[in-house]
Amino acid sequence: MRTSLLLLLFCASTIVFAQSEDEKQLKSIYDLALTEGQGYDWLNHLSNQIGGRLSGSVQAELAVDYTKAQLDSLGLDRVWLQPVMVPKWVRGTPEFAFIETKPGLTTNVPICALGGSVATPDGGIKANIVEVKGIEDLEKLGREQIEGKIVFYNRPMEPTLISTFESYSGCVDQRYAGAAEAGKFGAAGVIVRSMTLRLDDYPHTGSMSYGDVAVANRIPAAAISTNGAELLSATLKLNPDIKFYFKQNCKQFDDVQSYNVIGEIRGTTHPNEIMVVGGHLDSWDLGDGSHDDGAGCVQSMEVLRLLKETGYKPKRTLRVVLFMNEENGLRGGNKYAEVARNKNEKHVFALESDSGGFTPRGFSFNCSDENLKHIQQWKGLFEPYLIHMFVKGYSGADIRPLMDQDLVLAGLRPDSQRYFDHHHAENDTFEHVNQRELQLGAATMASLVYLIDKYGTIPNTKIKG
Amino acid sequence: MRTSLLLLLFCASTIVFAQSEDEKQLKSIYDLALTEGQGYDWLNHLSNQIGGRLSGSVQAELAVDYTKAQLDSLGLDRVWLQPVMVPKWVRGTPEFAFIETKPGLTTNVPICALGGSVATPDGGIKANIVEVKGIEDLEKLGREQIEGKIVFYNRPMEPTLISTFESYSGCVDQRYAGAAEAGKFGAAGVIVRSMTLRLDDYPHTGSMSYGDVAVANRIPAAAISTNGAELLSATLKLNPDIKFYFKQNCKQFDDVQSYNVIGEIRGTTHPNEIMVVGGHLDSWDLGDGSHDDGAGCVQSMEVLRLLKETGYKPKRTLRVVLFMNEENGLRGGNKYAEVARNKNEKHVFALESDSGGFTPRGFSFNCSDENLKHIQQWKGLFEPYLIHMFVKGYSGADIRPLMDQDLVLAGLRPDSQRYFDHHHAENDTFEHVNQRELQLGAATMASLVYLIDKYGTIPNTKIKG
């Protein structure tokens, strides 16, 4: 017994001594994040002192000022604001809707205007409903069955997909293009089932587009909660002649001035090679935008802080970019890429966190096979932290405009199960973010950035997909 | 373009045809769990209609009746109650505590009695405080510095460990044995920092033991919330002479009759080889026991339902066991193993879910190296479901008494980050369980049970550790 104990101790000390520099650096990063993380405090301020940060709002501007001041306090080499004009859409007074089964017999249901929608007429819209499972149903129904009615898009998110982002992708066309398409058949308005896998009473907003539909022909679009959608669908089955009423006062104003917030640590040996880590500072207006994407912003800020505090001096220039207007315009992401192009800046890597502040599981990469293989060599280093996903896939909306450069794009992949419970809804709030989960995400991002900086990427390999 | 699309479609259909029987069975299990799962509804009843189910309470008996009735409705081959006598400890009226910095100048702090503790005298206890970081400090302080005082155990859970269960293991001796040990030095009572990594206002209860300390010499023990512990510690640093007051009215009654709830599907070809899947039906009394361990119970019930509904007929006998009294006695687990021994029942496999209803990450096994290697062959089958942990480790308290049999013991390993936010506290409640996470856990368990049943385990290999 005693011998085996001694042996065990000997082995343990050998393991400690055999620890590589990389293992040590990752351990320092994770330890610091879990003991003295700043991200949760920053998020608390963004969420509880500022709140929802819709582009063009006072809150969005307060968030620019706050995050710039925080980056200033970190002692980076440079912190600046990058001007960008953003759309300003305002929700107005709370929306209101009901199902009318007979004249005078009504049931209220929770709705919210989709971002970018026009208002209803002052008195609201009351019309018959036609339920569809998607845009493709419109053609089958034709103008005679749609004209003057409210089109109700009710295809639910597919529950059997393990990644809830895949389920979302399979549904979101109803929200984004549903009004533009239904308008072509003479619909009076559209109601879209909220993009969540839960049955609850929260309507989930999100961006929509009228495409090239003339302003005069635009019809109002709203999201209905999933419970509301179930009730509406069941009521329609009993009586297809019921009416639906809704009223919303949203309005599009002229574009206003806003900013991307940027901070950087200048590279020691390859200062002209830029690595970006970021999230988006704007959010929807219903909740406080804690998961989408306050979490990604504070994690990205934390990446620079963690590397700095652990004493690591990046060879390449490391930038945190807090992008403005991801939700309803992507102006910040486009502006950043445009300026980079104009200045001939060479980007080798960009990482976005915009999938919620949940337990990190790994990354998906938009890069060449060669670079994926190169990165997958580091998988073992992440095993102690239960990070296991290193796959091809989506990176992030804000960094995608950089794609014409010779770089690796990456997205943090947190556990996705709860994301759409909160996404774009009133309950995307601070208390639903767990401090450790948030900080583990930041540490995981910082670890990848460290490895990319140290070992570089494989240049001149084409991004596929 | 068209050609490559056709090629893609061809490849996709080939993949579908090449799907193995096992892949198909796992897909059926996960699909059913995510579309028509029952677990969440069962948990809703256990949590919101019954509530906290402390051994010996009316709620525990209601839970026995309810789960038996639900198992009866599943059309299993046999459902029965296994009698077991359990301890009955009752909290009594709410506990009360304050820090007294000067006579008359007090600050209330949240506490709760530890399970199994004696009451304070009717008027409570007021005494000076001595803060320690663990039981080992008592010896150093000695009787002269402890006698007549309240010992305040304040070693926090270690935040740098990625598994929060490891952090818990490193602290829980303070709660379990703190009172017995401090009593030996003449302490008047003990206050223990709550076992959670969060700073908040919830005191977390849990079992404690007086060991062989005579009834007359037992001192009362309570948990203090982490915010309370921080305040107490800071106040002590300013003035070591402050006093602490607490009062609790808990009481131990005589043992009462209770039951393990058991259901089984009889094996078609090896009915004498038994596989167990289970959780514990009792819980603490402060919350409603949704994560600990309502989740594990409904997931275990769901395993049998999922296999039955997908048309799988196990070769071996598959039992769900809802164990009584895991929290403060383990009488149910011990009784089950005792009866199995007396009846000469041969158990080949036992799986427990008692780590919360969070996103499943895999399993830890208490089994031989040969069996671990055997099971690890199936890792690829779990990859589409993001299940990646197949490691040696802890299985579960209730199934451990079966260890003298030639079997594989396993524990479901869900994501652990949020578990101790809720563990044994008032906020272990239904709304903190996500339906998909819960059902993914059940499907993961059912998939392992299916594979174990189909391919068997390797017999006559000794369990190590």
Side-chain angles (χ1 to χ4, degrees), chain A residues 423-455:
Chain A
H423 185 244
H424 298 180
E426 190 185 313
N427 64 338
D428 180 4
T429 48
F430 183 69
E431 67 269 26
H432 295 293
V433 177
N434 175 279
Q435 184 170 9
R436 286 177 61 85
E437 295 186 355
L438 182 78
Q439 291 294 160
L440 284 170
T444 304
M445 293 166 70
S447 297
L448 180 64
V449 168
Y450 157 77
L451 290 164
I452 292 272
D453 180 63
K454 185 166 168 188
Y455 298 106

Side-chain angles (χ1 to χ4, degrees), chain A residues 6 24 73 125 204 216 228 240 243 284 291 320 342 355 419 441:
Chain A
L6 276 173
K24 277 188 222 155
S73 76
I125 291 175
H204 293 234
K243 289 199 156 58
W284 284 104
H291 276 298
V320 53
N342 293 343
S355 304
Y419 187 64

